[in-house]
Amino acid sequence: MSSIAFIGLGIMGSPMACHLARAGHTVYGYNRSPQRCAALVEAGGVAAESIAEAVKGADVVAVMVPDSPDVHDVLASDGGVFAHAQPETLVIDFSSIRPDVTKELAEEARRRGLRMIDAPVSGGEAGAKNASLSIMVGATERDFAAATPILQAVGKTIVHVGPTGAGQTVKAANQLIVAGNIELLAEAITFLRAYAVDLDAAVKVLGGGLAGSAVLDQKAPKMLARNFDPGFRIELHHKDMGIVTSAAREADVVIPLGAVVAQLMASALANGDGALDHSGLLLGVERLSGRGES
């Protein structure tokens, strides 16, 4: 069992840290909002008052925060992980950030005698709660092997996809596919509703054919119930679409459908939907169609 510092106890980080504590690891959690530590303490973990306190003596430091600047601040600021972790500590970044930022931070970690891997996850809040996340890992073979017992406590599909930064690149592709699927599902549901089709029956039969997907299974019920409580917020998916469109441009790759979905995600954010689940793209389709709730 390892001593683990877990930084970032939000919608995703809290259940992940709790799984690690229940698996027998010693978990010290830190979050800028201290009340977010309550679930971890109940699961057997310890609340730390600072990053320095959390990482002191830790074998592993796990990070799950929203964006590239947040990861940079947690790791590289004066009070951050790099300044306080002991040599050979393994840093696992579960966040979804820019691949170039990951590479820069991993290089800085190496200069300080630390080891860092990128391990962004897919599966949303449900996957975090059920320990069924899909984890795409950028790492050396040695560091991937060292991280595997930790990853197995929070995920189900764990794949080493290449060197440092590769995990973030695969996650960007994942977010491109998910956003496109959610937008098309929203358009299909709005289309079906316009023709007064039995939506539950339609979704059932669509799910049994080639149109079936994890997105349809998880997001269609939310759209039909108009339940947009966040499992993964639009504002975060907007950030991810910025990552993939920027990275595609740098690689001279054309993603025309992805670019349109990125604009629709930006529109949702501009219309005040940023805190909603990304299934809330349905509201944007309804706005464009001149249709509200029916």
Side-chain angles (χ1 to χ4, degrees):
M1 296 294 106
S2 299
S3 174
I4 303 170
F6 205 109
I7 315 299
L9 300 172
I11 288 175
M12 301 289 289
S14 178
M16 293 169 70
C18 290
H19 285 309
L20 290 167
R22 294 188 187 106
H25 300 286
T26 302
V27 182
Y28 295 85
Y30 172 76
N31 197 81
R32 285 181 297 182
S33 302
Q35 66 270 20
R36 296 292 308 185
C37 296
L40 174 60
V41 172
E42 186 177 346
V46 179
E49 295 185 1
S50 66
I51 291 176
E53 180 184 335
V55 304
K56 182 181 179 181
D59 306 310
V60 177
V61 176
V63 178
M64 178 55 110
V65 293
D67 203 352
S68 301
D70 303 299
V71 174
H72 190 277
D73 184 58
V74 164
L75 295 183
S77 67
D78 290 342
V81 171
F82 291 168
H84 296 283
Q86 58 189 354
E88 281 296 296
T89 297
L90 178 64
V91 179
I92 304 175
D93 183 20
F94 288 114
S95 316
S96 296
I97 66 172
R98 288 166 37 192
D100 60 324
V101 173
T102 286
K103 292 177 182 178
E104 291 170 5
L105 289 170
E107 181 56 36
E108 178 63 21
R110 281 191 290 271
R111 283 195 292 269
R112 292 172 179 260
L114 306 172
R115 301 148 65 194
M116 178 177 167
I117 72 172
D118 49 305
V121 304
S122 180
E125 182 182 14
K129 287 183 173 180
N130 298 328
S132 59
L133 293 167
S134 177
I135 308 177
M136 43 224 84
V137 186
T140 64
E141 293 286 354
R142 171 180 176 248
D143 290 346
F144 176 68
T148 295
I150 306 298
L151 304 179
Q152 288 174 334
V154 298
K156 184 176 181 181
T157 302
I158 302 161
V159 181
H160 185 198
V161 296
T164 303
Q168 298 295 354
T169 303
V170 175
K171 179 59 188 291
N174 179 86
Q175 296 303 81
L176 173 64
I177 294 169
V178 170
N181 274 315
I182 291 176
E183 173 61 24
L184 286 173
L185 176 60
E187 293 177 13
I189 285 178
T190 304
F191 168 73
L192 291 166
R193 180 176 283 129
Y195 280 91
V197 170
D198 182 328
L199 294 178
D200 290 325
V203 166
K204 181 178 180 180
V205 72
L206 290 172
L210 193 57
S213 69
V215 165
L216 189 147
D217 292 343
Q218 294 180 29
K219 300 303 177 180
K222 291 181 73 69
M223 291 181 186
L224 297 187
R226 304 188 77 80
N227 171 16
F228 305 120
D229 293 341
F232 189 77
R233 298 191 303 276
I234 281 173
E235 61 188 353
L236 292 178
H237 213 142
H238 168 69
K239 176 263 297 184
D240 291 343
M241 294 307 291
I243 291 173
V244 70
T245 52
S246 176
R249 182 173 62 250
E250 292 172 8
D252 294 324
V253 172
V254 176
I255 53 169
L257 293 180
V260 171
V261 176
Q263 291 298 307
L264 293 169
M265 199 76 72
S267 174
L269 188 69
N271 277 278
D273 296 339
L276 302 182
D277 185 77
H278 48 184
S279 58
L281 284 179
L282 175 68
L283 302 177
V285 176
E286 291 177 344
R287 280 191 292 266
L288 289 171
S289 302
R291 295 173 176 271
E293 181 173 354
S294 58

